Amino acid sequence: MSTPLIALSIRGLAKRFGTKIAVDGISLDVPAGSFFGIVGPNGAGKTTTLSMATGLLRPDFGTAVVHGVDVWAQPLQAKKLMGILPDGVRLFDRLSGEQLVTYAGLLRGMDRDVVAARVGELLAALDLSQDAGTLVVDYSAGMTKKIALASALIHAPKILVLDEPFESVDPVSAANIRDILDRYVATGGTVIVSSHVMDLVQRMCDHVAVIAGGRILAAGTVDQVRAGATLEERFVQLVGGRSQTEGLEWLRTS
Amino acid sequence: MVAHLLRLKLTLLRNGLRRSPWQLVGLAFGGLYALFIVGMCVVLLVLLRQQDPGLAQTVVVLGGSAALLGWGIVPVIASAVDMTLDPARFTTSAVPMPQLLAGLALGGLIGLPGLATSIVALATVVTFSRGVLPAAGALVGAVLGVLTCVVFCRVVTTATSSLAASRRFRDVSGIAFMVPLVLLGPITAGIFQGMAGSGAFLSDLAGRISWTPLGAAWSLGGDLEAGRPGTAGLKLLIAAATLAGLSWCWKLLLERALVTPPYSGSSRRKGGRLGLFSLLPATPAGAVTARALTYWFRDPRYSGSLVVIPLLPVVLAFQGSQTNDYGVLMITGPLTAFLLAWSISGDVSYDNTAFALHVAAGVRGVHDRLGRALACLAFALPTVLILAVVPFFIMADWAWWPSILGMSVGVLLTGLGLSSVVSARYTIAVPLPGDSPFKKPPGNVGQTLAVQFGGMGVLLVLVLPEAGLVLAQVLTGDPLFGWINLALGPVLGTALFIVGVRLGGRWLDARGPELLAQVTVNR
C-alpha cells in the first residue's frame, strides 16, 4: 500500500489554561492497524492532547478526525468508533465491577444480551471474575485500571485511546492486557497508548511520538525515532534535562 | 522525650495557625465560645459551694460523667479528633512506649477541649473546699477524672481508627449522625419534660453512677464532705483501677496499631447480581436511571438526604403537638417535593469526573437528563403522594387535600424539570465522591450560593400558578380552587418537566466537555 489508511488525524491542536500553553499546535497521523505510543515527560501535554482528540476537552484550535469523522463536528458518531481510557478521572465507583462495565455498554445503546456475554468474557480475560460483584470503590488501583479498560472495550471500538493503561497494574495482568491489545491490533484495530515506561513502549509499539512542552519532538515508526539507540537514550537526548549526578558524596556507604 | 512530644504538639498548633488567618479567627471564635461555657460552669461550681452538699454531689457527678462520655463518643461520630499526634506517625522514630504514652496523654490536654475540661474539673475543688479533706479528695478526683477522659478518648480513637478506615463504617456512621441532629429539638424538649417530672430522679441516678467507672472519680469530694471516708476510699480504688485499666488497654491497642497499619479489608464477591440494571429497560436512559437509583441507596451523600425525609413529618408533628394545631403538617407534602426535586440540581457535581464516562460514551443529553430525573421521580412521587395525604388523616379535616396534593405534585415535577436544566449548565461545590456528607466541600462557594438561590427563585416563579390557587382558596374559602389545583399541578408540572429535560439535554449536548472541565477543577 502506498498510502496507508489513517485512523486518527490530528491537525494543529492547541489548548491554553490561563497563561500556560499546555498544547502548542500538535499535528499527528496515526495509521490504521498500528500500535502507537505517545511518550513525554510529566506535564508534556500528553493527557491534554488525548483528551482533545477524543472529545473530552474542547481544543482552542485545531481538528481531530477519526476514520473520516470529525470529533468536534459529529461527536456522537466519532465517539462510537472510539474506546477511551482517560487518566486521572473517577469512575462510578459505587457500582460493582460487573455493573460498571454493563453500564458503559448500555450507555452506548447496546443490546442487553450482547452486553451480558461480553462483560463475562472481559472480566474473565482481565482476571476480575472473582471480584465481579465487589464495589469498584473497594478495588485496588490496578483493578480499577483494569475495570476502566473493560469499560472502554465493551463496544468493540475501531480505535482504542489508553492514557497510562499500565500504571499500578501487576506484571501478570499487564502481560494479559498486552496480549489482548496485540490480538486487537492483529485484527485491524488501532491502539494509542501514552506511557512513561520507555522499555514497554519500545517492546510493544510499532509507532511512537515524543511530546515535550506541548509540541511533537519526533514521530514515526519506533525504529525511525530511536535511530539505532534505545528509545530511552533517544528520549533523554530529545527532551534533555538530565542533572549531573555529582555531590551527595556522603551517600556512599564505603 | 515527653517534653519533646509536648513541644511538637505546640509547634504544630502554632504552624497550623500561621497557615491562614482564618484558622486564627476560627480558633478565636471557638475560644470565646469555650470561654463562655467554661466561665458559666466555673461560676456554677463556685456558687454550689454555698448549697446543699447533696445537690453539689449530684451536679458534679452527673456533669463529670457526661464529660467522660463526651470524650469517648464525640470523636467517633464527628471523626473530628485531632490527629496531629497520630501514633502511626511515630512508628519509624522508635520512641520508648511509656514515654510515648505519657507524651500523647498530656498532649491530648493541649487544645480547647482539654483545657476547658481541666479548668472546670479544677473548679470542683472550690465547690468542695468546705474542709481540707473534701478539697483534697476533689483535687485527686479531678486529676484522675481528666486523665481518664483523655485516655478514654485515645482508647476509643485507637480502637476505631482501623474501623474508621473501612468504607462501610464511614458510610453508616455519617448517616447515623444525621438522625440525632435533625431530632435535636424534640429530644431536648423530651429530656426537660422528664426532669420536670421528678426531682429525686437525678440524685438517685447520680448516686448509682458514682459507683461506676464513669462517675467514681467525681464523687470523692462529696463523699468525704458527707463523712463517708470508707465509701470514698472504695470509689478512689474504682477510679484508679479505671484509669489503670484504660491505660493498659490503650498500651495494648497502641502496640498493635504501631505494627499493623489500618487495613481496609472487604470481602470479594462474585458477580451475577446486576440489580436494577437487569430490571430497567436496556436503553441509555434506562441505564442512567438504574445507575442513579443505585446511587440513591449506596452513596451516603445521596442517602443522607433521604434519611431526612421521614424525619421531616416527625419534626413538624412535634411542632404541631406543642401548639395543638396540626395545620403545619400540611406543608409536609410540598416541602418534601421541593427538597427531593432540588436534590438533583447538583447531580453532575456529585458525579465529579466520573461524568467523563457519559461524555466519552457519547450519551445524548436528553437521555442523561431523563434518566436522572426519572430515578428521582421513581421514589419521590410515591413518597410525596403519601406525605401530602397522610396529614389529613391526622387532622380529620379534608377541605385542603385537593389543593395540597395538586401543589405537591406540581412542585415535584416542576422542580425536577428545573433541576435538569440547572445541573446541565452549572456546577456547585459538593462533597467529593467517597467523602463524608458533612465534609466541607472544595470549590467556589459564591457560585454555589448564586446557583442555589437563583434556582430556587426561578422555581418560586414557576410554581406561582399553584401557589396562587392555594392563596385564592385561602381568601375566598371556595373549594373549587382546590379542585382546579389538583388538575393544574400535575398538568403544568408535567409540561415543565418535559421542557426542562429537553432544554437541559440540548445544553448538555452543546456543552458536555465544558461541564466536564468545570467538575475537573474540584477533584
Side-chain angles (χ1 to χ4, degrees), chain B residues 318-329:
Chain B
F318 178 77
Q319 206 79 31
S321 76
Q322 298 293 82
T323 54
N324 234 343
D325 172 17
Y326 285 92
V328 68
L329 269 179

Side-chain angles (χ1 to χ4, degrees), chain A residues 80 82-84 97-123 126 146-157 160 184, chain B residues 357 361:
Chain A
K80 280 203 175 70
M82 289 188 285
I84 307 166
E98 188 182 26
Q99 283 179 324
L100 179 65
V101 184
T102 307
Y103 184 49
L106 294 178
L107 275 186
R108 293 180 177 273
M110 293 167 65
D111 186 64
R112 192 196 298 276
D113 295 332
V114 178
V115 170
R118 286 187 186 175
V119 167
E121 284 185 51
L122 274 173
L123 292 181
L126 292 167
K146 289 196 282 179
I147 205 74
L149 180 64
S151 312
L153 290 171
I154 184 80
H155 61 295
L160 264 179
Y184 174 79
Chain B
L357 180 64

Side-chain angles (χ1 to χ4, degrees), chain A residues 73-94:
Chain A
Q74 297 164 285
L76 296 189
Q77 287 88 327
K79 283 168 184 168
K80 280 203 175 70
L81 303 170
M82 289 188 285
I84 307 166
L85 173 71
D87 187 39
V89 307
R90 294 169 190 270
L91 301 171
F92 285 105
D93 57 12
R94 298 275 160 166

Side-chain angles (χ1 to χ4, degrees), chain A residues 94 135 137-138, chain B residues 163-172 264:
Chain A
R94 298 275 160 166
L135 298 195
V137 67
D138 293 331
Chain B
L163 202 60
S166 100
R167 178 186 54 79
R168 203 166 286 273
F169 177 78
R170 269 182 286 132
D171 286 4
V172 172
S264 51

Side-chain angles (χ1 to χ4, degrees), chain A residues 9-51:
Chain A
S9 167
I10 295 175
R11 286 289 168 270
L13 276 186
K15 184 76 190 176
R16 193 169 69 178
F17 296 115
T19 54
K20 185 182 181 293
I21 294 171
V23 174
D24 189 9
I26 282 188
S27 299
L28 199 63
D29 281 325
V30 178
S34 67
F35 206 134
F36 201 104
I38 293 182
V39 296
N42 295 328
K46 301 188 296 288
T47 298
T48 311
T49 306
L50 292 181
S51 298

Side-chain angles (χ1 to χ4, degrees), chain A residues 58 94 103 112 130 133, chain B residues 171 269 277 298 358 510 514:
Chain A
R58 202 182 297 276
R94 298 275 160 166
Y103 184 49
R112 192 196 298 276
Q130 291 302 314
Chain B
D171 286 4
R269 279 213 270 163
F277 287 93
R298 267 199 206 145
H358 285 212
E514 277 75 10

Side-chain angles (χ1 to χ4, degrees), chain A residues 119-188:
Chain A
V119 167
E121 284 185 51
L122 274 173
L123 292 181
L126 292 167
D127 194 26
L128 287 172
S129 299
Q130 291 302 314
D131 291 293
T134 311
L135 298 195
V136 175
V137 67
D138 293 331
Y139 275 12
S140 70
M143 290 160 77
T144 310
K145 210 56 150 175
K146 289 196 282 179
I147 205 74
L149 180 64
S151 312
L153 290 171
I154 184 80
H155 61 295
K158 291 180 88 169
I159 168 167
L160 264 179
V161 181
L162 313 175
D163 200 354
E164 298 286 355
F166 296 106
E167 215 171 37
S168 42
V169 173
D170 66 86
V172 178
S173 298
N176 286 342
I177 293 175
R178 273 211 307 280
D179 283 348
I180 294 171
L181 296 181
D182 282 338
R183 252 178 291 147
Y184 174 79
V185 170
T187 55

